[in-house]
Amino acid sequence: MSELVIETQNLTRRYGDVVAVDSLNLRIRAGEVFGILGPNGSGKTTTILMLLGLTEPTEGWARVLGFDPMRQPLEVKSRVGYLPDQVGFYDELTARENLAYIAKLNGLSRPVAQRRISDALERMGLAEVADRRVGTFSRGMRQRLGVAEILLKHPQVIILDEPTLGLDPEAAREFLQIIRTFREEKITVLLASHLLHQVQAVCDRVGLFHQGRMVLEGTVAELARQVLGGAYRVHIRALGPDLTQALQKISGAVRAQKLDSDLYKLEAQEDIRAEVARVAVQAGAQVLALGLEEPSLDEIYQRYFQGVITTV
Ligand code: ADP
Ligand code: MG
């Protein structure tokens, strides 16, 4: 088998006139963290349900670890951990009891279950609250318990649907940091989210979805280059003469803009901060601040659609 862990070809799902997922060709490699990102209703959950064999494609096919999810659902289910957007637990039971129940359902022997449960709780930062009733848990803790549950089966692939929804920014950041650690164990992660800015840092590659179609795919830097022209943004705050022209001439600068009386923004192919500072000083400006900004997926997404609409 190839390195492709998830592969789809023309994967399509229609509901009446609605094309929930439209001719999707997805190729996710072993060990990647791949984000399927897009607004509500763009087809993310439907894609996931087809990968899990829970929804039947109207056309096309999917392979997960080489298995056909519709024909070999158990093969897929035993190797793939899935965190749905709503995770259900028994509120009256403790975290440990909930996991023990799941372990039993999965047929794990008691000693194996106990070890894996302890490991998973530790891993997800829940060891100290393991014996508290889940009814007392915050949404962030529940999400982490959901991942702990997934870890019990030592999955090769983890699929997370809107994992940071409803988490405060700090809890979301912590949660995504844990996702990042799965890469070290070569677990392939697919996560779906409409919160582009939250997940962009954690994904190796992303696919941007719009009305069932994956309209852009690549690393954030690749998409930034493709859609925004430059993957790097340099900001400079400088007093003195107008620098727009001089900045625009720097080699590697794609676009220079004046945002404010003393603030400029450059899109660039590379980190050209040193050159920007040099040019500003040479022009007789007094440099107050110089910064580098990562491109944001929200902006890439918005700009992409502006481009599509204006060129149609
Ligand atoms: P996302 O997860 O990106 O928010 P979904 O995959 O849930 O998007 O939905 C994609 C589109 O398919 C939406 O227009 C949604 O209304 C429609 N859809 C999803 N599931 C069903 C269903 N079971 N029956 C009818 N329409 C559905
Ligand atoms: Mg969804």
Side-chain angles (χ1 to χ4, degrees), residues 7-309:
E7 186 179 10
T8 74
Q9 184 107 51
N10 293 325
L11 190 68
T12 300
R13 172 72 206 200
R14 290 190 204 94
Y15 292 104
D17 289 342
V18 175
V19 190
V21 176
D22 191 356
S23 312
L24 176 65
N25 296 311
L26 201 57
R27 295 161 75 84
I28 300 176
R29 296 186 282 265
E32 271 193 302
V33 179
F34 190 94
I36 59 177
L37 309 178
N40 289 326
S42 57
K44 305 179 299 293
T45 296
T46 306
T47 299
I48 287 175
L49 295 177
M50 288 192 284
L51 294 176
L52 295 164
L54 298 172
T55 289
E56 194 170 2
T58 313
E59 270 173 52
W61 53 260
R63 293 282 177 283
V64 177
L65 296 162
F67 299 106
D68 176 340
M70 283 316 294
R71 298 205 179 139
Q72 298 157 294
L74 295 180
E75 303 287 0
V76 172
K77 200 170 169 239
S78 64
R79 293 168 176 83
V80 179
Y82 168 46
L83 186 72
D85 48 6
Q86 292 291 332
V87 200
F89 288 108
Y90 292 104
D91 282 353
E92 297 308 311
L93 300 184
T94 67
R96 194 188 301 279
E97 287 163 350
N98 267 285
L99 294 185
Y101 175 73
I102 300 292
K104 203 169 165 191
L105 284 185
N106 282 304
L108 295 183
S109 73
R110 239 190 127 139
V112 171
Q114 276 175 356
R115 199 173 54 242
R116 289 195 186 181
I117 289 168
S118 295
D119 287 351
L121 288 167
E122 182 71 39
R123 175 81 188 266
M124 297 310 293
L126 295 170
E128 282 171 25
V129 293
D131 299 311
R132 259 171 61 181
R133 287 191 311 107
V134 171
T136 67
F137 277 19
S138 69
R139 170 137 179 110
M141 290 158 83
R142 280 173 179 269
Q143 285 297 90
R144 282 186 276 141
L145 186 58
V147 178
E149 176 189 324
I150 286 173
L151 291 175
L152 295 182
K153 62 174 159 186
H154 287 180
Q156 288 170 258
V157 180
I158 293 181
I159 298 182
L160 309 155
D161 198 353
E162 301 282 0
T164 60
L165 193 64
L167 303 190
D168 63 59
E170 179 61 16
R173 212 182 49 76
E174 277 174 23
F175 189 87
L176 291 169
Q177 203 45 51
I178 293 168
I179 303 302
R180 207 83 173 112
T181 66
F182 294 142
R183 289 174 83 241
E184 283 135 43
E185 283 154 67
K186 312 236 183 315
I187 299 175
T188 307
V189 178
L190 174 66
L191 76 90
S193 179
H194 72 283
L195 300 168
L196 274 49
H197 64 284
Q198 264 191 7
V199 299
Q200 76 172 89
V202 86
C203 296
D204 298 311
R205 285 195 305 139
V206 298
L208 290 185
F209 278 50
H210 178 72
Q211 295 179 353
R213 300 190 74 101
M214 186 164 67
V215 291
L216 287 169
E217 185 196 355
T219 64
V220 176
E222 282 165 3
L223 300 190
R225 223 169 284 135
Q226 195 182 326
V227 177
L228 303 178
Y232 293 86
R233 301 300 184 75
V234 178
H235 284 103
I236 179 167
R237 195 174 278 286
L239 298 176
D242 188 298
L243 296 171
T244 319
Q245 294 294 327
L247 293 174
Q248 184 69 62
K249 287 199 194 107
I250 295 173
S251 110
V254 177
R255 203 160 79 119
Q257 263 180 295
K258 190 168 187 173
L259 300 180
D260 203 343
S261 64
D262 58 359
L263 181 64
Y264 305 84
K265 180 175 85 171
L266 279 104
E267 289 169 10
Q269 304 283 6
E270 56 200 312
D271 180 359
I272 54 168
R273 272 177 295 181
E275 189 60 10
V276 166
R278 201 185 61 75
V279 165
V281 169
Q282 209 170 46
Q286 186 194 348
V287 178
L288 301 178
L290 190 60
L292 188 69
E293 181 199 325
E294 287 193 52
S296 96
L297 274 176
D298 285 300
E299 196 179 348
I300 291 169
Y301 199 86
Q302 275 171 29
R303 190 84 80 79
Y304 176 79
F305 287 106
Q306 279 171 14
V308 169
I309 290 158

